[in-house]
Amino acid sequence: MISPILTVSGGAAPGGRSLVEALEDGAVLMFPDLAFPFSDFETRFVERPFADGKAKNVSIRGEAAALKGAAGTPEEQEALRQVLIRYRAFAQGLIDRHLPEYTGRITLAGTSYRPFDVDRRKLSWRRDDTRLHVDAFPSNPIGEKRILRVFRNINPSGQPRRWRVGEDFGSMAEKFLPRLPGYSPLSARLLAGLRITKARRSEYDHLMLHLHDALKQDMAYQERAPQADVEFLPGQTWVTFSDLVMHGAMGGQYMLEQTAYLPVAAQAHPEKSPQRILAAKLGRPLR
Ligand SMILES: [Fe+2]
């Protein structure tokens, strides 16, 4: 089954299911009409990229944090930081209002401003986010947490954010799990000891990184796997578990993004997490 895009107006998913259930099943929730206005001063941030060009994105990690990767005068950079702080609050408000089961359980992580067109240069295959993948962070082991992301298209000239979404996580894992290399607790300890990873890489983290790579390297899968093209228009906000939903970013410029972490145990149905799906496919708990 291909991940469905559910339009949410008025607070319920179609069919009377709760939004949390739909999300945990692998849907993308799309909110067509939430307000996030820019002031006259702030419109400059969608007229040209205020980024130093070294990183893909401009970001803050927490409300008190300094802005990373930005360009502009000190005044402009402070205003951009305030936009991100406001977007962080907007994402929290969306969670509190539409996903109240997660309130108090979810932790907000980084907030980013993505002013560049989706990178279509010939990047290394590993960094090529136009290829279908699930998110995994090489240096930041995620363990028993889920990755929930809140995106918003802030393009000023009508340009959509174009995505591909793929098949459900279980069907994908079925095909790729047998190809992945085995987990070594010893090398996981070594990577942490050398500070290559910020914490010990669990077996789950190991599997997700190798899934991410195996997916992106398999061009036959990229072309032929079940998939659908999706467009998110300016002013639309969309929310999904990016560790569960197969996605590729195909085009679009100017977007805001908030990352949040949710413990697997705080899900309505922990058995629908990629952690438990992978364990079930292997027939044993992950190490
Ligand atoms: Fe991604």
Side-chain angles (χ1 to χ4, degrees):
M1 192 192 74
I2 295 172
S3 289
I5 315 296
L6 298 182
T7 301
V8 185
S9 27
R17 278 191 315 161
S18 87
L19 294 180
V20 155
E21 306 238 333
L23 260 188
E24 292 188 6
D25 279 337
V28 178
L29 304 182
M30 194 279 283
F31 299 83
D33 49 15
L34 302 179
F36 187 78
F38 278 60
S39 71
D40 288 345
F41 186 86
E42 290 164 349
T43 56
R44 70 191 65 205
F45 301 130
V46 294
E47 286 165 355
R48 60 186 192 277
F50 279 73
D52 65 16
K54 286 179 209 139
K56 270 200 296 191
N57 307 318
V58 175
S59 61
I60 54 167
R61 210 169 162 95
E63 254 173 71
L67 196 61
K68 279 197 291 192
T73 66
E75 184 194 13
E76 286 168 332
Q77 294 200 31
E78 178 54 23
L80 181 53
R81 199 175 76 86
Q82 292 301 328
V83 170
L84 291 185
I85 289 171
R86 211 163 72 232
Y87 186 67
R88 195 174 188 273
F90 167 87
Q92 181 70 58
L94 185 155
I95 292 163
D96 294 344
R97 167 143 188 240
H98 296 284
L99 311 169
E101 296 93 323
Y102 293 163
T103 292
R105 308 300 305 274
I106 219 160
T107 315
L108 297 185
T111 316
S112 65
Y113 157 69
R114 304 180 174 205
F116 295 116
D117 209 333
V118 165
D119 210 333
R120 310 200 65 98
R121 289 172 306 177
K122 282 291 156 232
L123 290 171
S124 72
W125 57 265
R126 186 175 277 128
R127 289 175 60 206
D128 182 359
D129 285 335
T130 66
R131 302 189 189 196
L132 287 167
H133 65 281
V134 281
D135 287 348
F137 305 140
S139 64
N140 196 3
I142 209 87
E144 278 284 294
K145 294 193 298 283
R146 301 296 313 282
I147 307 171
L148 184 77
R149 289 186 137 162
V150 180
F151 302 94
R152 183 177 177 92
N153 184 349
I154 53 168
N155 188 281
S157 48
Q159 196 186 351
R161 192 81 179 175
R162 293 188 297 110
W163 269 26
R164 282 192 288 166
V165 291
E167 65 183 332
D168 63 279
F169 188 90
S171 304
M172 176 278 287
E174 195 88 20
K175 294 171 192 141
F176 282 86
L177 255 186
R179 306 188 202 169
L180 305 185
Y183 172 66
S184 157
L186 179 66
S187 77
R189 274 203 301 276
L190 211 59
L191 289 174
L194 295 170
R195 315 255 158 144
I196 294 170
T197 54
K198 289 181 189 150
R200 190 185 67 95
R201 188 179 282 173
S202 67
E203 185 175 16
Y204 171 68
D205 293 305
H206 165 86
L207 291 172
M208 290 297 276
L209 281 175
H210 284 281
L211 268 180
H212 173 274
D213 288 0
L215 283 163
K216 284 189 173 176
Q217 272 183 299
D218 187 338
M219 287 317 282
Y221 181 85
Q222 291 292 330
E223 281 157 25
R224 285 179 223 130
Q227 55 190 282
D229 295 317
V230 198
E231 289 193 343
F232 300 104
L233 300 176
Q236 294 185 339
T237 306
W238 63 106
V239 182
T240 199
F241 280 114
S242 63
D243 52 0
L244 180 75
V245 171
M246 294 277 294
H247 61 282
M250 308 313 291
Q253 186 180 11
Y254 295 112
M255 183 174 74
L256 296 174
E257 174 273 336
Q258 175 67 52
T259 300
Y261 296 135
L262 180 78
V264 171
Q267 285 188 233
H269 300 284
E271 72 278 9
K272 293 180 175 174
S273 62
Q275 284 87 343
R276 299 296 177 270
I277 293 172
L278 291 174
K281 301 254 177 236
L282 290 171
R284 60 168 174 80
L286 301 183
R287 291 174 284 166

